[in-house]
Amino acid sequence: MSVRIGILGGTFDPIHVGHLVAAVNVRAELGIDRVLLVVANEPWQKVAQRPVSAAADRLALVAAAVDGYEGLEASSIEIDRGGVSYTADTVAELAALQPGAELFVIVGADVARDIESWVRLGEVLERATLVVVNRPGTRIGRPAEHGPLAGRRVEVVEMPALEISSTDLRERAATGRPLEFLIPRGAIRVIAERGMYGGHR
Ligand code: ATP
Ligand code: MG
């Protein structure tokens, strides 16, 4: 059987248990060998709206969070490529690096809802199965008959609903409220060491 690789892209500013619970549930449900948590270098949909933490810091958070967990890996593929991050480029690069691998692009329901905005979406869907996980705040709709996902490989994986976001966690950190159990311990340590989010932990 061919190797199955999951791609969970994100800004991870910071990583939290919502990302990790999604990764492990998709991995188990679809028999995926490795889930790559791909840290966006320049998340083009976000940089215009708010300051994004340095890519190296966000990668360090993800690496600390997955350390010791079988089947979860921090990926710097978009940081190494540099510039603006498009999933289409990442999928193409992984397909070239791992011929014969089966690729799965994992997104939360909020991202799935806006998937039409993705640059070169068709290329992503040619090369990978789209996996959608539930996320509080957005209902997962059925792909419309004439929509961008019609006739494409799409899977839905259920996970425990976790109403948690990086946006809320940045605010928590800045106001000195606890991050414990929402973010893995190792990543909290990185936040403190690097003085991220202005919370002076
Ligand atoms: P921000 O608030 O800064 O947008 P975020 O919490 O949405 O941060 P991202 O890095 O934007 O985190 O998300 C990366 C991926 O993880 C997206 O596909 C997103 O839908 C998914 N995701 C994030 N949080 C959750 C969650 N709590 N449950 C399910 N999926 C999630
Ligand atoms: Mg988000």
Side-chain angles (χ1 to χ4, degrees), residues 8-12 16 18-19 22 46 50 106-111 133-136 159 162 164-167 170:
L8 172 54
T11 309
F12 302 113
H16 54 69
H19 301 126
K46 279 185 181 148
R50 66 171 180 88
I106 305 161
V107 296
D110 58 317
V111 170
V133 296
N134 51 294
R135 183 171 192 185
M159 60 177 265
L162 292 170
I164 166 170
S165 71
S166 300
T167 301
R170 290 191 298 274

Coordinates of all heavy atoms in Angstrom, one line a residue, residues 8-12 16 18-19 22 46 50 106-111 133-136 159 162 164-167 170, ligand 1:
L8 N -1.6 19.3 7.2 CA -2.4 20.3 8.0 C -1.7 21.6 8.0 O -0.7 21.8 8.7 CB -2.7 19.8 9.4 CG -3.4 20.7 10.4 CD1 -4.7 21.2 9.8 CD2 -3.6 20.0 11.7
G9 N -2.1 22.5 7.1 CA -1.4 23.8 7.0 C -2.0 24.8 8.0 O -3.2 24.7 8.3
G10 N -1.2 25.7 8.4 CA -1.8 26.7 9.3 C -0.8 27.8 9.6 O 0.4 27.7 9.3
T11 N -1.2 28.8 10.2 CA -0.3 29.9 10.7 C 0.3 29.4 12.0 O 1.4 29.8 12.4 CB -1.1 31.2 10.9 OG1 -1.8 31.5 9.6 CG2 -0.1 32.4 11.1
F12 N -0.5 28.7 12.8 CA -0.1 28.2 14.1 C 0.5 29.3 15.0 O 1.6 29.2 15.5 CB 0.9 27.0 13.9 CG 0.4 25.9 13.1 CD1 0.9 25.6 11.9 CD2 -0.7 25.1 13.6 CE1 0.4 24.5 11.1 CE2 -1.2 24.0 12.9 CZ -0.7 23.7 11.6
H16 N -2.4 25.0 19.0 CA -3.2 24.7 20.1 C -3.8 23.3 20.0 O -3.6 22.6 18.9 CB -4.3 25.7 20.3 CG -5.2 26.0 19.1 ND1 -6.1 25.1 18.6 CD2 -5.3 27.1 18.3 CE1 -6.7 25.6 17.6 NE2 -6.2 26.8 17.4
G18 N -6.7 22.3 19.4 CA -7.7 22.1 18.2 C -6.9 21.5 17.0 O -7.4 20.6 16.4
H19 N -5.8 22.1 16.7 CA -5.0 21.6 15.6 C -4.6 20.1 15.8 O -4.6 19.3 14.9 CB -3.7 22.4 15.4 CG -3.9 23.9 15.2 ND1 -3.3 24.9 16.0 CD2 -4.6 24.6 14.3 CE1 -3.7 26.1 15.6 NE2 -4.5 25.9 14.6
A22 N -7.4 17.5 15.8 CA -7.7 17.3 14.4 C -6.7 16.4 13.7 O -7.1 15.4 13.1 CB -7.8 18.7 13.6
K46 N -3.6 36.4 5.9 CA -3.6 37.0 7.2 C -2.7 38.2 7.3 O -2.9 39.1 8.1 CB -3.2 36.0 8.2 CG -4.3 35.1 8.6 CD -3.9 34.1 9.7 CE -5.2 33.2 10.0 NZ -4.8 31.9 10.4
R50 N -3.2 41.5 10.3 CA -2.6 41.7 11.6 C -1.1 41.3 11.5 O -0.7 40.6 10.6 CB -3.3 40.7 12.6 CG -3.1 39.3 12.3 CD -3.6 38.4 13.4 NE -3.5 37.0 13.1 CZ -2.4 36.3 13.4 NH1 -1.4 36.9 14.0 NH2 -2.3 35.0 13.1
I106 N -5.8 18.6 5.0 CA -6.8 18.7 6.1 C -7.1 20.2 6.4 O -6.2 21.0 6.6 CB -6.1 18.0 7.4 CG1 -5.7 16.6 7.0 CG2 -7.1 18.1 8.5 CD1 -4.7 16.0 8.0
V107 N -8.4 20.5 6.5 CA -8.8 21.8 6.9 C -10.0 21.8 7.9 O -10.8 20.8 7.8 CB -9.2 22.6 5.6 CG1 -8.1 22.9 4.7 CG2 -10.4 22.0 4.9
G108 N -10.1 22.8 8.7 CA -11.3 23.0 9.5 C -12.4 23.5 8.7 O -12.3 24.0 7.6
A109 N -13.6 23.4 9.3 CA -14.8 23.8 8.5 C -14.8 25.2 8.1 O -15.3 25.6 7.0 CB -16.1 23.5 9.4
D110 N -14.2 26.1 8.9 CA -14.1 27.5 8.5 C -13.3 27.7 7.2 O -13.7 28.5 6.4 CB -13.6 28.4 9.7 CG -12.2 27.9 10.1 OD1 -11.9 26.7 10.2 OD2 -11.3 28.8 10.3
V111 N -12.2 27.0 7.2 CA -11.4 27.1 6.0 C -12.1 26.5 4.8 O -12.0 27.0 3.6 CB -10.0 26.5 6.3 CG1 -9.2 26.4 5.0 CG2 -9.3 27.4 7.3
V133 N -12.6 18.8 8.9 CA -13.0 18.5 10.3 C -13.9 19.5 10.8 O -13.9 20.7 10.3 CB -11.8 18.4 11.2 CG1 -10.8 17.2 10.8 CG2 -11.0 19.7 11.3
N134 N -14.8 19.1 11.7 CA -15.8 20.1 12.2 C -15.1 21.1 13.1 O -14.0 20.8 13.7 CB -16.8 19.3 13.0 CG -16.3 18.4 14.1 OD1 -15.6 17.4 13.7 ND2 -16.4 18.7 15.3
R135 N -15.6 22.3 13.1 CA -15.1 23.3 14.0 C -16.3 24.2 14.4 O -17.1 24.6 13.6 CB -14.1 24.2 13.2 CG -13.5 25.3 14.1 CD -12.3 26.0 13.5 NE -11.7 26.8 14.5 CZ -10.7 27.6 14.3 NH1 -10.2 27.8 13.1 NH2 -10.1 28.3 15.3
P136 N -16.4 24.4 15.7 CA -17.5 25.2 16.2 C -17.6 26.6 15.5 O -16.6 27.2 15.2 CB -17.2 25.4 17.7 CG -16.4 24.3 18.1 CD -15.5 24.0 16.8
M159 N -14.5 15.2 14.9 CA -13.6 15.2 16.1 C -14.4 15.9 17.2 O -15.4 16.5 17.0 CB -12.3 16.0 15.8 CG -12.6 17.5 15.3 SD -11.1 18.4 15.0 CE -10.9 19.2 16.7
L162 N -14.0 21.6 19.6 CA -13.1 22.4 20.5 C -13.2 23.8 20.1 O -12.8 24.2 19.0 CB -11.7 21.9 20.4 CG -11.5 20.4 20.9 CD1 -10.1 19.9 20.6 CD2 -11.7 20.4 22.5
I164 N -11.8 26.7 20.3 CA -10.5 27.3 20.7 C -9.9 27.8 19.4 O -10.0 27.1 18.4 CB -9.7 26.3 21.4 CG1 -8.2 26.7 21.5 CG2 -9.8 24.9 20.8 CD1 -7.5 25.8 22.5
S165 N -9.2 29.0 19.5 CA -8.6 29.5 18.3 C -7.3 30.2 18.7 O -7.2 30.7 19.9 CB -9.5 30.5 17.6 OG -9.6 31.7 18.4
S166 N -6.4 30.4 17.8 CA -5.2 31.1 18.0 C -5.4 32.5 18.4 O -4.8 33.1 19.2 CB -4.2 31.0 16.8 OG -3.9 29.7 16.5
T167 N -6.5 33.1 17.8 CA -6.8 34.5 18.0 C -7.1 34.7 19.5 O -6.6 35.6 20.2 CB -8.0 34.9 17.2 OG1 -7.7 34.8 15.8 CG2 -8.4 36.4 17.5
R170 N -3.9 34.2 21.7 CA -3.0 35.4 21.7 C -3.5 36.5 22.7 O -2.7 37.1 23.4 CB -2.9 36.1 20.3 CG -2.2 35.2 19.3 CD -1.9 36.0 18.0 NE -3.1 36.4 17.3 CZ -3.8 35.7 16.4 NH1 -3.4 34.5 16.1 NH2 -4.9 36.2 15.8
Ligands
ATP1 P1 -6.5 32.2 13.9 O1 -7.5 32.5 15.0 O2 -5.2 33.0 14.0 O3 -7.0 32.1 12.5 P2 -6.8 29.3 14.1 O4 -7.0 28.9 15.5 O5 -7.9 29.4 13.2 O6 -6.0 30.7 14.2 P3 -5.0 28.4 12.0 O7 -3.6 28.3 12.1 O8 -5.7 29.5 11.3 O9 -5.6 28.4 13.6 O10 -5.7 27.1 11.5 C1 -5.0 26.0 10.8 C2 -6.0 25.0 10.5 O11 -6.6 24.3 11.7 C3 -7.3 25.5 9.7 O12 -7.7 24.5 8.7 C4 -8.3 25.6 10.8 O13 -9.7 25.5 10.3 C5 -8.0 24.4 11.7 N1 -8.4 24.6 13.1 C6 -7.9 25.5 13.9 N2 -8.5 25.5 15.1 C7 -9.4 24.4 15.0 C8 -10.3 23.8 16.0 N3 -10.5 24.3 17.2 N4 -11.1 22.8 15.5 C9 -10.9 22.3 14.3 N5 -10.0 22.8 13.4 C10 -9.3 23.8 13.7

